[in-house]
Amino acid sequence: MSDSAAAARRRLRDGGRLQSVDPGDAHQASHKATVNAGPLAGIRILEVGTMLAGPYATMMLADLGAEVTKVEPPGGDISRTVSDAYFASLNRGKRSVCLDLTTEEGQVGLGNLVAEAHALLVNLRPSTIRRLGLTYDALRRWNEQIVCVALTGYGLDAGDDPAFDYVIQAVTGVAALTGDPGGPPMLPGYPTADNSAGLTAALGLLAKVVSGHGGQVEVSMRDVMFSQLNYRASAHLNEGTTPRRLPFGAHPHYVPGQLFPTAEGYLALFITHDRFWRSFAAEAGIRGFPTMAERAARREEVLAVVTEALVTDTAAGWQARLSPLGVAAAAVRSLPEALAVSPEMIVPAGDFRLVASPVRVAGYAPEYGPPPRLGEHGGVPGHP
């Protein structure tokens, strides 16, 4: 193991040059009781976040055992005003400290927190990040080893253009790729840019912490969405292909790969290999089109015969028939229907029922803590 790798391991195990934190103490402080210490136990993370992307990033880390302290302004994170359930879905298991970072007292309080932290993640406008002193250059005087993650719309040096999930999907071409060809651009039913940017920021934070060195990390929502357009962008840049929308969300390469109407409900059918096509075709009574190359070249013919076949049974019926054959097919569910058949993904967090962490670590079973009250762990004006 290299010296830098060994240092990184020690940093994760002991908190680097900071005072070592006993995993049990860290869990008690962050309202966690686990079968054993989480993989991030002892790692202390500060969040100056608002709404979704930043809080989602740090919640994922809290679920894995990190001690996350949410630094909130006197009025609290604006997401508290949306609804209690909304706030809980992004902030379970965290601590809350209330500081007015526009004051000298608030800045000193932040400095004291930074001195004992491994990382800080902030998602605000670039000018606000700099004005409040939330960059590595501003905070290194408190802690040379601090990792500072700036999650912004377009980049820390790219100006203050407003950036919300829907706007980012519009400017990166995602909205133009979504929907039926003859209709208007569409947006997904959930904040994909916010969630994806949050996960990417968490990855960047951990990568820098593991390096064993403090410093600045930047993640922009725009860059994340361009990255997620991977093969779409590559086809345009390298082959001159102009991306286009296809009916029923069809895949540009795999045929059939889209939603289909059935006798009752819609079916998602995705066939990637010729052997799966043979299995599907035999079950559906379809002949011909044996290779993917032929199916792609004769897309409209293939879709016509598949559509005709699928209307002879319900979506649930096709799923029951095709899944045992190894063919990827599923009836389209509503969110309530999907949650009802996935009870293992619903967990208690205080008074709330929330969706569990998607990361499962062998030997670790988190007990999700409740979302914190504003200033529950210090700093509320007029209170000790």
Side-chain angles (χ1 to χ4, degrees), residues 57-87:
T58 58
M59 187 183 74
M60 291 293 99
L61 301 174
D63 287 345
L64 293 172
E67 179 185 298
V68 175
T69 299
K70 188 176 182 72
V71 180
E72 301 188 67
D77 180 350
I78 191 174
S79 67
R80 290 183 180 274
T81 67
V82 178
S83 74
D84 291 341
Y86 184 102
F87 182 80

PDB file of all heavy atoms in Angstrom, residues 57-87:
ATOM      1  N   ALA A  57     -27.353  14.849  -1.017  1.00  0.00           N
ATOM      2  CA  ALA A  57     -25.989  14.319  -0.996  1.00  0.00           C
ATOM      3  C   ALA A  57     -25.564  13.941   0.420  1.00  0.00           C
ATOM      4  O   ALA A  57     -25.060  12.833   0.661  1.00  0.00           O
ATOM      5  CB  ALA A  57     -25.019  15.362  -1.574  1.00  0.00           C
ATOM      6  N   THR A  58     -25.755  14.839   1.356  1.00  0.00           N
ATOM      7  CA  THR A  58     -25.288  14.570   2.718  1.00  0.00           C
ATOM      8  C   THR A  58     -26.166  13.546   3.428  1.00  0.00           C
ATOM      9  O   THR A  58     -25.684  12.825   4.303  1.00  0.00           O
ATOM     10  CB  THR A  58     -25.217  15.869   3.535  1.00  0.00           C
ATOM     11  OG1 THR A  58     -26.503  16.500   3.558  1.00  0.00           O
ATOM     12  CG2 THR A  58     -24.189  16.821   2.941  1.00  0.00           C
ATOM     13  N   MET A  59     -27.450  13.457   3.071  1.00  0.00           N
ATOM     14  CA  MET A  59     -28.282  12.421   3.671  1.00  0.00           C
ATOM     15  C   MET A  59     -27.800  11.033   3.271  1.00  0.00           C
ATOM     16  O   MET A  59     -27.817  10.096   4.072  1.00  0.00           O
ATOM     17  CB  MET A  59     -29.749  12.606   3.287  1.00  0.00           C
ATOM     18  CG  MET A  59     -30.685  11.644   4.022  1.00  0.00           C
ATOM     19  SD  MET A  59     -32.414  11.797   3.516  1.00  0.00           S
ATOM     20  CE  MET A  59     -32.358  11.005   1.893  1.00  0.00           C
ATOM     21  N   MET A  60     -27.381  10.881   2.010  1.00  0.00           N
ATOM     22  CA  MET A  60     -26.841   9.594   1.583  1.00  0.00           C
ATOM     23  C   MET A  60     -25.625   9.215   2.421  1.00  0.00           C
ATOM     24  O   MET A  60     -25.424   8.043   2.767  1.00  0.00           O
ATOM     25  CB  MET A  60     -26.450   9.651   0.105  1.00  0.00           C
ATOM     26  CG  MET A  60     -27.607   9.770  -0.875  1.00  0.00           C
ATOM     27  SD  MET A  60     -28.670   8.293  -0.950  1.00  0.00           S
ATOM     28  CE  MET A  60     -30.025   8.820   0.101  1.00  0.00           C
ATOM     29  N   LEU A  61     -24.810  10.206   2.774  1.00  0.00           N
ATOM     30  CA  LEU A  61     -23.624   9.957   3.587  1.00  0.00           C
ATOM     31  C   LEU A  61     -24.006   9.684   5.044  1.00  0.00           C
ATOM     32  O   LEU A  61     -23.395   8.837   5.706  1.00  0.00           O
ATOM     33  CB  LEU A  61     -22.678  11.152   3.492  1.00  0.00           C
ATOM     34  CG  LEU A  61     -22.196  11.475   2.069  1.00  0.00           C
ATOM     35  CD1 LEU A  61     -21.372  12.759   2.064  1.00  0.00           C
ATOM     36  CD2 LEU A  61     -21.393  10.320   1.492  1.00  0.00           C
ATOM     37  N   ALA A  62     -25.022  10.384   5.536  1.00  0.00           N
ATOM     38  CA  ALA A  62     -25.502  10.130   6.899  1.00  0.00           C
ATOM     39  C   ALA A  62     -26.052   8.712   7.019  1.00  0.00           C
ATOM     40  O   ALA A  62     -25.855   8.036   8.033  1.00  0.00           O
ATOM     41  CB  ALA A  62     -26.576  11.153   7.281  1.00  0.00           C
ATOM     42  N   ASP A  63     -26.745   8.258   5.979  1.00  0.00           N
ATOM     43  CA  ASP A  63     -27.278   6.893   5.994  1.00  0.00           C
ATOM     44  C   ASP A  63     -26.169   5.859   6.143  1.00  0.00           C
ATOM     45  O   ASP A  63     -26.396   4.758   6.652  1.00  0.00           O
ATOM     46  CB  ASP A  63     -28.045   6.604   4.695  1.00  0.00           C
ATOM     47  CG  ASP A  63     -29.388   7.312   4.636  1.00  0.00           C
ATOM     48  OD1 ASP A  63     -29.867   7.787   5.684  1.00  0.00           O
ATOM     49  OD2 ASP A  63     -29.962   7.386   3.530  1.00  0.00           O
ATOM     50  N   LEU A  64     -24.968   6.194   5.699  1.00  0.00           N
ATOM     51  CA  LEU A  64     -23.829   5.281   5.772  1.00  0.00           C
ATOM     52  C   LEU A  64     -22.989   5.495   7.023  1.00  0.00           C
ATOM     53  O   LEU A  64     -21.915   4.924   7.152  1.00  0.00           O
ATOM     54  CB  LEU A  64     -22.961   5.433   4.523  1.00  0.00           C
ATOM     55  CG  LEU A  64     -23.631   4.972   3.222  1.00  0.00           C
ATOM     56  CD1 LEU A  64     -22.768   5.341   2.021  1.00  0.00           C
ATOM     57  CD2 LEU A  64     -23.890   3.469   3.246  1.00  0.00           C
ATOM     58  N   GLY A  65     -23.491   6.308   7.947  1.00  0.00           N
ATOM     59  CA  GLY A  65     -22.845   6.431   9.243  1.00  0.00           C
ATOM     60  C   GLY A  65     -22.103   7.717   9.503  1.00  0.00           C
ATOM     61  O   GLY A  65     -21.592   7.927  10.605  1.00  0.00           O
ATOM     62  N   ALA A  66     -21.988   8.613   8.511  1.00  0.00           N
ATOM     63  CA  ALA A  66     -21.309   9.887   8.744  1.00  0.00           C
ATOM     64  C   ALA A  66     -22.131  10.756   9.694  1.00  0.00           C
ATOM     65  O   ALA A  66     -23.361  10.686   9.714  1.00  0.00           O
ATOM     66  CB  ALA A  66     -21.094  10.623   7.428  1.00  0.00           C
ATOM     67  N   GLU A  67     -21.438  11.573  10.466  1.00  0.00           N
ATOM     68  CA  GLU A  67     -22.118  12.558  11.311  1.00  0.00           C
ATOM     69  C   GLU A  67     -22.281  13.830  10.496  1.00  0.00           C
ATOM     70  O   GLU A  67     -21.310  14.506  10.179  1.00  0.00           O
ATOM     71  CB  GLU A  67     -21.309  12.848  12.566  1.00  0.00           C
ATOM     72  CG  GLU A  67     -21.959  13.898  13.468  1.00  0.00           C
ATOM     73  CD  GLU A  67     -21.084  14.256  14.645  1.00  0.00           C
ATOM     74  OE1 GLU A  67     -20.791  13.364  15.464  1.00  0.00           O
ATOM     75  OE2 GLU A  67     -20.658  15.427  14.728  1.00  0.00           O
ATOM     76  N   VAL A  68     -23.511  14.142  10.122  1.00  0.00           N
ATOM     77  CA  VAL A  68     -23.797  15.301   9.277  1.00  0.00           C
ATOM     78  C   VAL A  68     -24.456  16.390  10.111  1.00  0.00           C
ATOM     79  O   VAL A  68     -25.487  16.156  10.746  1.00  0.00           O
ATOM     80  CB  VAL A  68     -24.713  14.923   8.095  1.00  0.00           C
ATOM     81  CG1 VAL A  68     -25.090  16.166   7.291  1.00  0.00           C
ATOM     82  CG2 VAL A  68     -24.018  13.900   7.201  1.00  0.00           C
ATOM     83  N   THR A  69     -23.851  17.561  10.108  1.00  0.00           N
ATOM     84  CA  THR A  69     -24.408  18.718  10.792  1.00  0.00           C
ATOM     85  C   THR A  69     -24.890  19.714   9.762  1.00  0.00           C
ATOM     86  O   THR A  69     -24.100  20.211   8.953  1.00  0.00           O
ATOM     87  CB  THR A  69     -23.370  19.379  11.709  1.00  0.00           C
ATOM     88  OG1 THR A  69     -22.958  18.447  12.715  1.00  0.00           O
ATOM     89  CG2 THR A  69     -23.953  20.612  12.391  1.00  0.00           C
ATOM     90  N   LYS A  70     -26.166  19.979   9.791  1.00  0.00           N
ATOM     91  CA  LYS A  70     -26.789  20.917   8.858  1.00  0.00           C
ATOM     92  C   LYS A  70     -26.699  22.318   9.460  1.00  0.00           C
ATOM     93  O   LYS A  70     -27.262  22.580  10.524  1.00  0.00           O
ATOM     94  CB  LYS A  70     -28.245  20.504   8.641  1.00  0.00           C
ATOM     95  CG  LYS A  70     -28.979  21.259   7.552  1.00  0.00           C
ATOM     96  CD  LYS A  70     -30.372  20.676   7.383  1.00  0.00           C
ATOM     97  CE  LYS A  70     -31.132  21.381   6.269  1.00  0.00           C
ATOM     98  NZ  LYS A  70     -30.605  21.035   4.933  1.00  0.00           N
ATOM     99  N   VAL A  71     -25.976  23.196   8.793  1.00  0.00           N
ATOM    100  CA  VAL A  71     -25.826  24.575   9.266  1.00  0.00           C
ATOM    101  C   VAL A  71     -26.906  25.412   8.587  1.00  0.00           C
ATOM    102  O   VAL A  71     -26.867  25.638   7.375  1.00  0.00           O
ATOM    103  CB  VAL A  71     -24.422  25.122   8.948  1.00  0.00           C
ATOM    104  CG1 VAL A  71     -24.298  26.564   9.442  1.00  0.00           C
ATOM    105  CG2 VAL A  71     -23.353  24.240   9.586  1.00  0.00           C
ATOM    106  N   GLU A  72     -27.883  25.880   9.368  1.00  0.00           N
ATOM    107  CA  GLU A  72     -29.039  26.572   8.812  1.00  0.00           C
ATOM    108  C   GLU A  72     -29.072  28.036   9.235  1.00  0.00           C
ATOM    109  O   GLU A  72     -28.647  28.385  10.329  1.00  0.00           O
ATOM    110  CB  GLU A  72     -30.332  25.898   9.270  1.00  0.00           C
ATOM    111  CG  GLU A  72     -30.449  24.430   8.870  1.00  0.00           C
ATOM    112  CD  GLU A  72     -31.826  23.862   9.183  1.00  0.00           C
ATOM    113  OE1 GLU A  72     -32.798  24.301   8.541  1.00  0.00           O
ATOM    114  OE2 GLU A  72     -31.908  22.984  10.064  1.00  0.00           O
ATOM    115  N   PRO A  73     -29.601  28.909   8.368  1.00  0.00           N
ATOM    116  CA  PRO A  73     -29.783  30.311   8.754  1.00  0.00           C
ATOM    117  C   PRO A  73     -30.890  30.433   9.784  1.00  0.00           C
ATOM    118  O   PRO A  73     -31.631  29.472  10.026  1.00  0.00           O
ATOM    119  CB  PRO A  73     -30.158  30.977   7.431  1.00  0.00           C
ATOM    120  CG  PRO A  73     -30.830  29.894   6.651  1.00  0.00           C
ATOM    121  CD  PRO A  73     -30.099  28.623   7.010  1.00  0.00           C
ATOM    122  N   PRO A  74     -31.023  31.594  10.405  1.00  0.00           N
ATOM    123  CA  PRO A  74     -32.058  31.757  11.443  1.00  0.00           C
ATOM    124  C   PRO A  74     -33.457  31.339  10.998  1.00  0.00           C
ATOM    125  O   PRO A  74     -34.242  30.830  11.804  1.00  0.00           O
ATOM    126  CB  PRO A  74     -31.983  33.252  11.765  1.00  0.00           C
ATOM    127  CG  PRO A  74     -30.556  33.610  11.491  1.00  0.00           C
ATOM    128  CD  PRO A  74     -30.149  32.782  10.299  1.00  0.00           C
ATOM    129  N   GLY A  75     -33.811  31.524   9.727  1.00  0.00           N
ATOM    130  CA  GLY A  75     -35.125  31.119   9.254  1.00  0.00           C
ATOM    131  C   GLY A  75     -35.204  29.661   8.840  1.00  0.00           C
ATOM    132  O   GLY A  75     -36.287  29.170   8.517  1.00  0.00           O
ATOM    133  N   GLY A  76     -34.074  28.963   8.850  1.00  0.00           N
ATOM    134  CA  GLY A  76     -34.053  27.557   8.469  1.00  0.00           C
ATOM    135  C   GLY A  76     -33.939  27.351   6.969  1.00  0.00           C
ATOM    136  O   GLY A  76     -34.142  28.269   6.167  1.00  0.00           O
ATOM    137  N   ASP A  77     -33.605  26.145   6.585  1.00  0.00           N
ATOM    138  CA  ASP A  77     -33.601  25.751   5.177  1.00  0.00           C
ATOM    139  C   ASP A  77     -34.992  25.990   4.603  1.00  0.00           C
ATOM    140  O   ASP A  77     -36.011  25.614   5.212  1.00  0.00           O
ATOM    141  CB  ASP A  77     -33.213  24.270   5.086  1.00  0.00           C
ATOM    142  CG  ASP A  77     -33.159  23.730   3.664  1.00  0.00           C
ATOM    143  OD1 ASP A  77     -33.604  24.420   2.730  1.00  0.00           O
ATOM    144  OD2 ASP A  77     -32.672  22.602   3.500  1.00  0.00           O
ATOM    145  N   ILE A  78     -35.069  26.603   3.423  1.00  0.00           N
ATOM    146  CA  ILE A  78     -36.361  26.929   2.828  1.00  0.00           C
ATOM    147  C   ILE A  78     -37.231  25.694   2.620  1.00  0.00           C
ATOM    148  O   ILE A  78     -38.458  25.779   2.580  1.00  0.00           O
ATOM    149  CB  ILE A  78     -36.160  27.681   1.488  1.00  0.00           C
ATOM    150  CG1 ILE A  78     -37.485  28.265   1.006  1.00  0.00           C
ATOM    151  CG2 ILE A  78     -35.522  26.773   0.444  1.00  0.00           C
ATOM    152  CD1 ILE A  78     -37.337  29.138  -0.236  1.00  0.00           C
ATOM    153  N   SER A  79     -36.612  24.528   2.507  1.00  0.00           N
ATOM    154  CA  SER A  79     -37.407  23.316   2.302  1.00  0.00           C
ATOM    155  C   SER A  79     -38.290  22.992   3.501  1.00  0.00           C
ATOM    156  O   SER A  79     -39.263  22.240   3.366  1.00  0.00           O
ATOM    157  CB  SER A  79     -36.503  22.126   1.976  1.00  0.00           C
ATOM    158  OG  SER A  79     -35.698  21.774   3.077  1.00  0.00           O
ATOM    159  N   ARG A  80     -37.999  23.570   4.662  1.00  0.00           N
ATOM    160  CA  ARG A  80     -38.881  23.383   5.821  1.00  0.00           C
ATOM    161  C   ARG A  80     -40.254  23.984   5.561  1.00  0.00           C
ATOM    162  O   ARG A  80     -41.248  23.563   6.164  1.00  0.00           O
ATOM    163  CB  ARG A  80     -38.261  24.021   7.070  1.00  0.00           C
ATOM    164  CG  ARG A  80     -37.029  23.309   7.618  1.00  0.00           C
ATOM    165  CD  ARG A  80     -36.538  23.973   8.913  1.00  0.00           C
ATOM    166  NE  ARG A  80     -35.358  23.332   9.464  1.00  0.00           N
ATOM    167  CZ  ARG A  80     -35.372  22.277  10.281  1.00  0.00           C
ATOM    168  NH1 ARG A  80     -36.540  21.755  10.650  1.00  0.00           N
ATOM    169  NH2 ARG A  80     -34.251  21.770  10.748  1.00  0.00           N
ATOM    170  N   THR A  81     -40.313  24.975   4.670  1.00  0.00           N
ATOM    171  CA  THR A  81     -41.600  25.638   4.420  1.00  0.00           C
ATOM    172  C   THR A  81     -42.439  24.891   3.387  1.00  0.00           C
ATOM    173  O   THR A  81     -43.615  25.219   3.207  1.00  0.00           O
ATOM    174  CB  THR A  81     -41.377  27.082   3.926  1.00  0.00           C
ATOM    175  OG1 THR A  81     -40.759  27.058   2.629  1.00  0.00           O
ATOM    176  CG2 THR A  81     -40.474  27.847   4.890  1.00  0.00           C
ATOM    177  N   VAL A  82     -41.849  23.916   2.694  1.00  0.00           N
ATOM    178  CA  VAL A  82     -42.609  23.158   1.700  1.00  0.00           C
ATOM    179  C   VAL A  82     -43.579  22.227   2.402  1.00  0.00           C
ATOM    180  O   VAL A  82     -44.784  22.299   2.219  1.00  0.00           O
ATOM    181  CB  VAL A  82     -41.664  22.373   0.775  1.00  0.00           C
ATOM    182  CG1 VAL A  82     -42.468  21.540  -0.225  1.00  0.00           C
ATOM    183  CG2 VAL A  82     -40.719  23.324   0.051  1.00  0.00           C
ATOM    184  N   SER A  83     -43.036  21.322   3.209  1.00  0.00           N
ATOM    185  CA  SER A  83     -43.836  20.455   4.060  1.00  0.00           C
ATOM    186  C   SER A  83     -42.892  19.668   4.950  1.00  0.00           C
ATOM    187  O   SER A  83     -41.710  19.505   4.640  1.00  0.00           O
ATOM    188  CB  SER A  83     -44.710  19.491   3.244  1.00  0.00           C
ATOM    189  OG  SER A  83     -43.913  18.454   2.684  1.00  0.00           O
ATOM    190  N   ASP A  84     -43.411  19.172   6.071  1.00  0.00           N
ATOM    191  CA  ASP A  84     -42.578  18.365   6.973  1.00  0.00           C
ATOM    192  C   ASP A  84     -42.098  17.092   6.280  1.00  0.00           C
ATOM    193  O   ASP A  84     -40.959  16.659   6.464  1.00  0.00           O
ATOM    194  CB  ASP A  84     -43.362  18.010   8.237  1.00  0.00           C
ATOM    195  CG  ASP A  84     -43.631  19.207   9.126  1.00  0.00           C
ATOM    196  OD1 ASP A  84     -42.921  20.228   8.979  1.00  0.00           O
ATOM    197  OD2 ASP A  84     -44.539  19.129   9.972  1.00  0.00           O
ATOM    198  N   ALA A  85     -42.971  16.493   5.463  1.00  0.00           N
ATOM    199  CA  ALA A  85     -42.591  15.261   4.776  1.00  0.00           C
ATOM    200  C   ALA A  85     -41.495  15.524   3.752  1.00  0.00           C
ATOM    201  O   ALA A  85     -40.580  14.702   3.582  1.00  0.00           O
ATOM    202  CB  ALA A  85     -43.807  14.639   4.097  1.00  0.00           C
ATOM    203  N   TYR A  86     -41.581  16.656   3.067  1.00  0.00           N
ATOM    204  CA  TYR A  86     -40.551  17.022   2.090  1.00  0.00           C
ATOM    205  C   TYR A  86     -39.208  17.164   2.790  1.00  0.00           C
ATOM    206  O   TYR A  86     -38.193  16.600   2.352  1.00  0.00           O
ATOM    207  CB  TYR A  86     -40.940  18.330   1.403  1.00  0.00           C
ATOM    208  CG  TYR A  86     -40.000  18.781   0.301  1.00  0.00           C
ATOM    209  CD1 TYR A  86     -40.329  18.598  -1.035  1.00  0.00           C
ATOM    210  CD2 TYR A  86     -38.802  19.407   0.595  1.00  0.00           C
ATOM    211  CE1 TYR A  86     -39.485  19.020  -2.048  1.00  0.00           C
ATOM    212  CE2 TYR A  86     -37.938  19.832  -0.405  1.00  0.00           C
ATOM    213  CZ  TYR A  86     -38.285  19.636  -1.727  1.00  0.00           C
ATOM    214  OH  TYR A  86     -37.429  20.052  -2.722  1.00  0.00           O
ATOM    215  N   PHE A  87     -39.173  17.924   3.878  1.00  0.00           N
ATOM    216  CA  PHE A  87     -37.921  18.146   4.606  1.00  0.00           C
ATOM    217  C   PHE A  87     -37.358  16.831   5.138  1.00  0.00           C
ATOM    218  O   PHE A  87     -36.152  16.573   5.038  1.00  0.00           O
ATOM    219  CB  PHE A  87     -38.156  19.125   5.753  1.00  0.00           C
ATOM    220  CG  PHE A  87     -36.903  19.457   6.524  1.00  0.00           C
ATOM    221  CD1 PHE A  87     -35.997  20.377   6.035  1.00  0.00           C
ATOM    222  CD2 PHE A  87     -36.631  18.833   7.741  1.00  0.00           C
ATOM    223  CE1 PHE A  87     -34.837  20.689   6.738  1.00  0.00           C
ATOM    224  CE2 PHE A  87     -35.476  19.129   8.451  1.00  0.00           C
ATOM    225  CZ  PHE A  87     -34.578  20.058   7.948  1.00  0.00           C
TER     226      PHE A  87
END
